[in-house]
């Protein structure tokens, strides 16, 4: 047996306020202070182990050592994830549900998604040409909401888009908040869940017939391991787990604009339509800028790793942002440099903006392929299909607010479409 050492321990009764004050940097700051990729602390009154880096991610995604059931705090379930969704499952139940998600991630379906997105970008650009200014973040969320609904087979009227976008956005933006913003997110989820439940009931009663390849159809008729249809409530949660993440890509698209604005040479390379460079740029945006800070699991059974003891039931946080900025994996990690991905052959644990491990068997985000394809289309539209000005504004972004959004929400003006 491995000998166990004393795990670095943060002092104090509870560090929840420190987490809120430091946001994305909370785990990274302490790993640097302790000179360790692991430390113990207390959050919301519970013992928590925080880990960071490639080796930590490999352990974290070992289903024999960690489980997701009952790990996420209730406030995240009530806003971001939804109750009994795929993120909270383990074992065969998780595998079966994950297969449901991966069934709509075929090459053909991703192509259909990108064609839908191109159409809605074109409509938006034409609309923006008649506007004095465009609040880019808010408008991008609407583009993605329309796209997600059409792709998923979810019928929505144009008059409903503003409200639905607002509700889906509130789920994302309330994930790391307390007080009124948190309750706004909970109310938003309740509203959308009720609406989607009604759609699923219509599908099952035959009064709504989405295409068989869509998420609304597939999830409405999905059967669990026991052969039973998903509960309507759970099916609604999973449909939302398609819509919400697509809208969340607006965060990355906004950082595309920030990067193009801050690094003019990058824009010239992107305009050259070099597919390889576009892919490198997208991956660097996902690595460099903050998206979601960490993921959470529970220790499944006692084990020892690197001489440190993990006890059954202990909450564990894996630092996504810190792992993507780990100098052991990345040269000059705090420098924006797309070329680092020119010949990148890293493991699925060193680069984890949306989780790590295997898509089909593990908890890596099923929508990561969607994210990349959506970003490709958006880059092309931004640099090759429109001209715009970025007036003086505060394009900085917080490392405390989770998720982080540029403070000005990016204002653009004088938009002109290009053939």
């Amino acid at each position: 047996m491995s000998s166990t050492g004393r795990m670095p321990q943060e002092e104090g009764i509870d560090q929840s306020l420190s987490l809120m004050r430091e946001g994305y940097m909370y785990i990274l700051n302490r790993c640097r202070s302790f000179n360790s990729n692991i430390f113990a602390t207390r959050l919301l009154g519970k013992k928590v182990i925080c880990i960071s880096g490639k080796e930590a991610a490999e352990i974290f995604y070992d289903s024999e050592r960690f489980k997701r059931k009952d790990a996420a705090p209730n406030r995240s379930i009530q806003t971001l994830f939804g109750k009994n969704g795929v993120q909270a499952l383990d074992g065969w139940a998780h595998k079966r549900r994950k297969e449901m998600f991966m069934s709509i991630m075929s090459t053909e379906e991703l192509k259909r998604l990108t064609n839908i997105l191109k159409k809605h970008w074109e409509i938006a650009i034409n609309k923006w040409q008649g506007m004095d200014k465009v609040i880019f973040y808010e408008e991008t969320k609407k583009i993605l909401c329309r796209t997600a609904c059409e792709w998923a087979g979810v019928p929505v009227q144009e008059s409903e888009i503003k409200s639905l976008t607002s509700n889906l956005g509130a789920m994302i933006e309330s994930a790391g908040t307390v007080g009124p913003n948190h309750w706004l997110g909970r109310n938003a989820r309740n509203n959308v869940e009720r609406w989607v439940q009604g759609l699923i009931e219509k599908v099952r009663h035959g009064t709504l017939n989405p295409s068989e390849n869509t998420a609304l159809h597939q999830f409405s008729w999905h059967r669990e391991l026991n052969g039973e249809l998903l509960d309507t409530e759970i099916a609604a949660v999973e449909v939302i787990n398609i819509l919400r993440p697509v809208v969340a890509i607006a965060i990355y698209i906004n950082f595309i604009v920030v990067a193009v604005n801050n690094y003019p040479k990058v824009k010239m390379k992107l305009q050259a339509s070099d597919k390889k460079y576009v892919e490198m740029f997208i991956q660097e945006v996902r690595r460099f800028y903050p998206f979601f800070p960490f993921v959470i699991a529970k220790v499944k059974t006692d084990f020892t790793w690197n001489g440190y003891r993990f006890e059954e039931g202990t909450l564990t946080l894996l630092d996504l942002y810190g792992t993507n900025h780990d100098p052991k994996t990345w040269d000059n990690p705090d420098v924006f440099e797309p070329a680092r991905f020119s010949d990148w052959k890293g493991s699925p644990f060193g680069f984890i903006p949306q989780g790590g491990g295997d898509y089909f068997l593990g908890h890596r985000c099923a929508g990561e392929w969607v994210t990349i394809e959506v970003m490709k289309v958006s880059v092309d539209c931004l640099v090759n299909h429109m001209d715009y000005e970025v007036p003086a504004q505060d394009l900085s972004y917080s490392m405390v607010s989770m998720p982080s959004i540029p403070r000005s929400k990016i204002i653009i003006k004088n938009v002109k479409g290009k053939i």
Side-chain angles (χ1 to χ4, degrees):
M1 292 180 63
S2 301
S3 60
T4 56
R6 178 173 171 78
M7 186 180 298
Q9 175 78 45
E10 188 171 18
E11 296 181 0
I13 298 174
D14 192 279
Q15 298 299 323
S16 300
L17 290 177
S18 295
L19 173 60
M20 294 182 67
R21 282 196 300 265
E22 299 177 50
Y24 291 89
M25 301 301 293
Y26 171 76
I27 297 178
L28 186 57
N29 285 342
R30 279 145 190 80
C31 286
R32 289 171 175 172
S33 176
F34 288 123
N35 192 28
S36 170
N37 64 346
I38 181 172
F39 67 91
T41 188
R42 294 190 70 83
L43 298 172
L44 298 176
K46 297 180 180 180
K47 178 183 177 181
V48 176
I49 295 174
C50 299
I51 56 178
S52 184
K54 174 177 168 290
E55 292 182 359
E58 291 178 6
I59 291 294
F60 186 84
Y61 286 101
D62 183 343
S63 61
E64 297 300 314
R65 299 186 178 185
F66 287 96
K67 64 180 182 178
R68 270 63 186 174
K69 184 174 176 58
D70 301 325
N74 186 58
R75 64 177 49 251
S76 296
I77 293 171
Q78 297 290 347
T79 55
L80 190 63
F81 299 123
K83 189 176 181 181
N84 296 319
V86 64
Q87 299 93 342
L89 300 179
D90 295 292
W92 285 104
H94 175 262
K95 182 176 183 295
R96 176 69 174 168
R97 193 80 62 82
K98 194 68 173 287
E99 287 173 349
M100 178 183 79
F101 278 87
M102 298 309 295
S103 70
I104 63 169
M105 301 294 172
S106 66
T107 301
E108 293 77 13
E109 278 303 294
L110 292 176
K111 180 65 174 177
R112 188 170 70 85
L113 169 68
T114 57
N115 286 337
I116 293 169
L117 178 59
K118 289 174 184 176
K119 176 185 70 176
H120 287 295
W121 263 111
E122 182 178 348
I123 293 170
I125 292 170
N126 288 334
K127 171 190 170 186
W128 296 348
Q129 291 183 95
M131 296 171 61
D132 292 334
K133 69 175 183 180
V134 175
I135 302 177
F136 187 74
Y137 176 64
E138 300 297 342
E139 291 294 316
T140 306
K141 285 192 293 183
K142 292 176 187 175
I143 292 173
L144 296 176
C145 181
R146 292 183 180 98
T147 299
C149 288
E150 185 172 342
W151 183 54
V154 173
V156 58
Q157 300 297 317
E158 181 60 28
S159 61
E160 300 172 313
I161 285 292
K162 183 177 180 180
S163 175
L164 180 58
T165 301
S166 177
N167 281 330
L168 292 170
M171 294 181 206
I172 301 158
E173 294 155 16
S174 66
T177 64
V178 295
N181 286 337
H182 168 72
W183 288 103
L184 181 66
R186 289 182 70 151
N187 185 61
R189 170 164 285 281
N190 291 338
N191 290 339
V192 180
E193 282 189 5
R194 284 193 296 268
W195 175 63
V196 177
Q197 286 171 27
L199 296 178
I200 290 167
E201 290 171 355
K202 289 180 180 179
V203 172
R204 291 177 176 175
H205 291 148
T207 57
L208 178 62
N209 297 291
S211 298
E212 290 187 5
N213 55 334
T214 62
L216 182 59
H217 181 277
Q218 293 287 339
F219 295 8
S220 294
W221 296 112
H222 175 78
R223 295 184 182 274
E224 292 284 65
L225 291 172
N226 61 8
E228 297 292 328
L229 289 173
L230 279 175
D231 287 345
T232 304
E233 293 83 358
I234 298 175
V237 165
E238 301 299 34
V239 170
I240 295 168
N241 276 333
I242 293 294
L243 305 182
R244 172 188 50 77
V246 172
V247 173
I249 303 171
I251 297 170
Y252 276 141
I253 296 174
N254 276 252
F255 282 128
I256 288 173
V257 175
V258 172
V260 168
N261 186 75
N262 289 347
Y263 308 102
K265 291 182 179 179
V266 164
K267 183 176 182 179
M268 290 188 289
K269 292 180 180 180
L270 292 172
Q271 287 175 325
S273 298
D274 181 339
K275 291 184 179 180
K276 175 65 175 177
Y277 186 80
V278 170
E279 291 177 0
M280 289 159 45
F281 169 78
I282 287 170
Q283 297 296 55
E284 182 66 349
V285 167
R286 297 174 67 231
R287 184 202 70 83
F288 182 79
Y289 291 103
F291 192 54
F292 282 90
F294 46 73
V295 285
I296 188 168
K298 269 188 178 180
V299 178
K300 190 173 183 179
T301 185
D302 292 359
F303 71 92
T304 300
W305 175 65
N306 284 358
Y308 297 118
R309 188 72 171 169
F310 287 69
E311 297 181 351
E312 181 180 348
T314 304
L315 290 172
T316 304
L317 300 183
L318 172 66
D319 184 8
L320 300 180
Y321 181 82
T323 298
N324 291 330
H325 289 76
D326 185 355
K328 294 179 182 178
T329 302
W330 308 99
D331 293 333
N332 300 314
D334 296 326
V335 174
F336 185 84
E337 181 48 80
R340 71 175 76 248
F341 284 98
S342 61
D343 57 356
W344 186 77
K345 296 181 177 64
S347 82
F349 301 102
F351 178 48
I352 54 172
Q354 291 173 264
D358 182 82
Y359 289 106
F360 287 90
L361 299 178
H363 281 79
R364 193 178 190 101
C365 178
E368 189 166 16
W369 295 340
V370 169
T371 299
I372 292 170
E373 293 305 313
V374 166
M375 291 178 72
K376 285 180 182 177
V377 170
S378 300
V379 166
D380 183 51
C381 288
L382 285 165
V383 302
N384 294 318
H385 294 275
M386 60 184 286
D387 287 321
Y388 59 91
E389 296 176 12
V390 181
Q393 61 191 280
D394 187 357
L395 289 176
S396 66
Y397 50 93
S398 170
M399 294 301 291
V400 174
S401 299
M402 300 179 287
S404 182
I405 300 163
R407 288 183 171 86
S408 67
K409 295 188 176 181
I410 307 185
I411 297 169
I412 62 173
K413 66 178 185 178
N414 295 332
V415 175
K416 294 181 174 60
K418 295 193 294 186
I419 298 176

